[in-house]
Amino acid sequence: LAHSLSADALEAVLSRLPADDRALLTAASVTDDVPYRVALALWRSADIALADVDPHWAERAGAEAIRVRGMQLYAGLIQKPTPDDFLDQHISLFQRYYRPGDIKVTARTLGSATVRLVGFEAGDQHVCRRRTGGWVAGQRWCACGAANGGGARCVGDSGVGTWC
């Protein structure tokens, strides 16, 4: 967000958060765990500032998180020789970031996979949108080069789909 917003706009985003959450976020380093509810509150506040000027900010933020730190922190999870190896790994890359939930492969065909978000707040697109950007970026870094970059559709526990 610091790269997408002016100092005043970033302060406005943070000012919409409770003081304890603001303090936690400003003290956090790039590898610190932040509670899901705090991350979601930040994303919702950021969306107020960015939705009209950059409708794809959340996807870009997810991709940037993988681009900047993904290879440094999770190269062993990301650099897989085939798309199936990327999808089948036993350590969920997604769960490492968003502990209350997970992402599960529910169907796959040659050149395509369907994943389902499990254990998340229903109806919120912020996780889905960041996941979309991070997922595509992670697959680009994957040795298999599997990502095609388009048509991500997120489906939550309820089975109701949301296009991100």
Side-chain angles (χ1 to χ4, degrees), residues 29-81:
S29 74
V30 294
T31 57
D32 287 346
D33 286 337
V34 174
Y36 174 68
R37 66 163 188 79
V38 175
L40 193 55
L42 175 64
W43 299 335
R44 287 173 175 162
S45 182
D47 198 52
I48 293 169
L50 290 168
D52 290 338
V53 295
D54 184 3
H56 301 288
W57 74 267
E59 291 84 354
R60 276 195 263 290
E64 183 71 358
I66 294 298
R67 187 191 70 75
V68 170
R69 294 289 181 195
M71 288 303 290
Q72 293 171 349
L73 299 175
Y74 306 112
L77 299 174
I78 295 172
Q79 291 183 314
K80 298 297 180 185

Side-chain angles (χ1 to χ4, degrees), residues 9-126:
L10 180 58
E11 180 54 36
V13 167
L14 293 173
S15 73
R16 287 188 279 271
L17 304 176
D20 289 347
D21 292 353
R22 213 171 34 250
L24 176 69
L25 289 168
T26 55
S29 74
V30 294
T31 57
D32 287 346
D33 286 337
V34 174
Y36 174 68
R37 66 163 188 79
V38 175
L40 193 55
L42 175 64
W43 299 335
R44 287 173 175 162
S45 182
D47 198 52
I48 293 169
L50 290 168
D52 290 338
V53 295
D54 184 3
H56 301 288
W57 74 267
E59 291 84 354
R60 276 195 263 290
E64 183 71 358
I66 294 298
R67 187 191 70 75
V68 170
R69 294 289 181 195
M71 288 303 290
Q72 293 171 349
L73 299 175
Y74 306 112
L77 299 174
I78 295 172
Q79 291 183 314
K80 298 297 180 185
T82 70
D84 284 339
D85 289 335
F86 183 83
L87 293 171
D88 291 338
Q89 57 192 316
H90 296 290
I91 299 171
S92 172
L93 179 61
F94 191 71
Q95 194 171 26
R96 294 186 61 91
Y97 288 107
Y98 307 115
R99 292 183 185 204
D102 205 353
I103 188 167
K104 302 286 184 185
V105 178
T106 58
R108 71 175 75 186
T109 60
L110 185 61
S112 174
T114 302
V115 295
R116 181 178 295 271
L117 299 176
V118 178
F120 289 97
E121 184 177 323
D124 196 292
Q125 292 187 4
H126 293 88

